Amino acid sequence: MSGILYEESSFATFLFVTLVLGGAGAWMTGRACAITWRPYPMLLFYLLVLSFAVRFIHFSLFEATLLSLHYWIVDAAFCLLIGSIAYRYTRTNQMTTQYYWLYAKSGPFSWRPI
């Protein structure tokens, strides 16, 4: 796995920075975009900016390569995945709570007309 997903000497470093810090930031970004009714393309832009910040943390704290396309794609993919899940989950709860007379939940990420 070392060399494919992360370049640091320890998996714990990758786990902490990308999964914990980046994942928490992506979840909060997705949730914030859904709560403020922002469109999905704007969320994608915010998550790409966040992935640059995650890459910078790897570089500044753990001496990883800053301008590495391969490792930035790994960070960006994870941020996009977690942020998109949070966005859809929050949007589903919004739609079924605010428009309860129109929609019912059909799963954690979807709603259906009543």
Side-chain angles (χ1 to χ4, degrees):
M1 276 288 229
S2 179
I4 297 173
L5 291 179
Y6 60 95
E7 63 180 325
E8 292 87 1
S9 60
S10 168
F11 180 70
T13 303
F14 170 77
L15 187 73
F16 176 69
V17 174
T18 301
L19 278 69
V20 175
L21 294 179
W27 183 271
M28 296 306 290
T29 303
R31 186 175 179 274
C33 283
I35 287 173
T36 56
W37 296 94
R38 300 211 189 280
Y40 186 73
M42 189 172 284
L43 171 70
L44 294 178
F45 172 73
Y46 291 149
L47 291 173
L48 289 177
V49 171
L50 178 66
S51 68
F52 287 122
V54 171
R55 191 76 234 147
F56 182 74
I57 291 172
H58 280 287
F59 165 73
S60 63
L61 297 180
F62 302 105
E63 300 177 1
T65 307
L66 177 63
L67 300 175
S68 170
L69 180 64
H70 173 80
Y71 297 117
W72 173 75
I73 289 173
V74 170
D75 293 338
F78 187 76
C79 287
L80 290 171
L81 175 72
I82 297 299
S84 296
I85 289 171
Y87 181 84
R88 189 64 184 187
Y89 180 77
T90 305
R91 182 57 52 94
T92 299
N93 287 333
Q94 278 181 310
M95 293 298 286
T96 57
T97 302
Q98 291 183 0
Y99 304 109
Y100 58 88
W101 67 90
L102 291 175
Y103 302 112
K105 249 185 185 184
S106 62
F109 304 112
S110 62
W111 60 88
R112 61 177 170 75
I114 294 180

